[in-house]
Amino acid sequence: MFLDGRTPPGGAALGADLAIIGAGAAGITLARALAGRGLKIALIESGGLEWSEAAADLGAGSLGEQHYGDLAYVRLRQFGGTTGHWGGWCRELDAIDFEPRDFVPLSGWPIAKSDLAPFYPEAQSILQLGPARYDDFAAVAAEAKAEAPIAPGGDMEAVLFEFSPPTRMGEVYRAELEQSDVAVWLNTTVSDIRLSDDLTTVTGLVLSRDGAPPLAMAVRHVVAACGGLSNPQLLLNADSQVAGGIGNAHDQVGRCFAEHPIVETFAAILALGPATGAPFAFRDTSVGNRRYRPAFQPSAAARRAKGRLSTLVTINEPGPAFDPATGGFDRWDEARLGPQATGAAIAALSGAGPLRLHYRSAGFETRPNPDSRVTLTAARDRFGGRRIKLDWRLSDADLDDYLANLEDLGRAFAAAGTAVIRIDPEARARYRADTSWGHHHMGTTRMGDDPRVSVCDGDGRVHGMANLWIAGSSLFTTPGAANPTLTIVALALRLADRLKKAFAP
Amino acid sequence: MSGPTDRSWRVTRRTLGLSALAALGGTAAGTWPRWAFWRTAAGASLAALASLPQAAALRALGARIVGEGMDQGLEARLEAKLAPDGYDAAVARDRAAGRFVTVDGWRVPETAALAAVWLASAGQSR
């Protein structure tokens, strides 16, 4: 059932057994998982079925020194959330990503991958993926009749992403939710969270909407599933009874904001593959109706041995082509590839046929940094909520790990005779100016066993609160290097499982 | 005002200058007295570089990296690489062992870089 918050049905007082705030990947997953159980579920979305400037404006904010996208547009406030423009990249986090590592301060999720593993298969299905084959590179390559680009067993390993169609959850699951017993409240913004007198239990939500006064909704349980920017915004703004906001007794809400820095032009490779210039490593491949993209990352053993963060390197579509007859490339970008004379000499040295240059894209893991954070500003949105400031901090140490991983990959390619690598000598100088991002907002209500350095426990429940839960990538204790959507959905399924127990008679 | 290429070149020179190449060749130079190369068949492998199919490409590469301090002990280092079984095998060993130097950001097997410098400056008295 869909409701428009601007014209709600009159009559009975509003109430819900479970209020889910935010109808994105996490919120829709939760609602679907808990629908049909006799629970009164309200799925509350500040946007409508379509994107609107009015809804986007609620996400507007300011930035610190590090450049980033306009906060009004770096996620979608609409039914379906940011899956509406998601690229579809899927990969599970690795087991090591959950572990405490002495070379990563504040690392160590309160859950292991084995705790999440039972939920990944259903997450695959929800995102319209096949059975997980992320670490099955050799078999997939064989099925694609392609050669592995690096030798197995080394410091760098070849792995896979699988692409979701991508699943636009607002489209794919709209009809199902419309026909379910879930009440989907559109154009409705939660502007305050009301607590019991002892401040340990959420008793109600204040719902704001355009053109009408706020509504009060009584609740038994609440899940904030608004994403890594709006989850902390919601908690910090809910300060009508608790100074500093809910769950923020230790000033942790909004800290440890993590992104995946994306650096597409810091490195290039000259592919020495077949004359097609497109061996398996350097293009997507389809096996059956599944589409995979090869990626390269340091093995777990290498990460531990070298004290190294992870990196997932993928190879972009072919760039400049080298013609041995002319001894030059058909085009060139000196600012990003250095002098063409050197590139041409390197290509000529290979002694092979037509060669292609490719840029290499990579998202890399970063260390949790409490100073990288979301805070509130004095500016207010039209419902009176304070807007956020995102102060994303990039660390030279994280870049060093990325560059070291590239060096290792270059050695692996060279040893296999697959490619020659170029790493921009100016990478460090360019880091802050030329780094892009994955629109992955993580860590701002991180899970942990210690409330002094985390916001939620291993179930996603806000420390000190009986019935306030968080879903989404703001839970990530450390970000890993893989794109987060698959894990967001798996975590939401795990939370649904936990809530089923909470609601059990 | 320097552009990216100028900065890149400075980085390259720093990388290849008296540090990387000297370090990679130091052991070889110390182990293999220079006179020994010129009195053995190994010395011939150095001269044979000019007839390699890759010679032109190596010269072009060498033009990017030859410079001050680059020729110190060059022959000795190069001979140590080439002596066992020639250029191709030496490059393959470098690749397998991950021994590279950086030229304008490119990772070049040490042997190829040394050969490039030698060929680019061939004809000069050493």
Side-chain angles (χ1 to χ4, degrees), chain A residues 334-418:
Chain A
E334 184 163 312
R336 295 290 174 262
L337 294 168
Q340 181 171 187
T342 310
I346 297 292
L349 272 177
S350 76
L355 305 173
R356 299 303 295 254
L357 261 170
H358 305 247
Y359 279 120
R360 301 172 7 150
S361 184
F364 53 92
E365 185 180 14
T366 58
R367 293 170 176 80
N369 177 0
D371 293 330
S372 182
R373 63 186 300 199
V374 172
T375 54
L376 297 182
T377 69
R380 292 183 181 269
D381 63 34
R382 64 184 182 277
F383 297 132
R386 281 172 291 167
R387 297 189 185 277
I388 59 169
K389 175 184 178 183
L390 171 61
D391 190 0
W392 182 28
R393 302 288 179 93
L394 293 174
S395 153
D396 289 340
D398 298 342
L399 179 68
D400 287 345
D401 280 15
Y402 164 65
L403 295 174
N405 287 334
L406 284 185
E407 294 279 2
D408 282 353
L409 182 57
R411 280 188 278 271
F413 275 140
T418 313

Side-chain angles (χ1 to χ4, degrees), chain A residues 334 339 342 407 421-423, chain B residues 5 7 64 100 104-105 107:
Chain A
E334 184 163 312
T342 310
E407 294 279 2
I421 187 176
R422 179 180 190 272
I423 301 173
Chain B
T5 301
R7 292 197 302 274
R64 295 295 309 166
F100 300 97
D104 289 333
R107 269 48 179 175

Side-chain angles (χ1 to χ4, degrees), chain A residues 300-317:
Chain A
R303 283 186 244 174
R304 288 193 190 94
K306 298 180 179 184
R308 189 90 56 79
L309 295 174
S310 187
T311 301
L312 277 163
V313 180
T314 53
I315 311 296
N316 291 0
E317 293 299 306

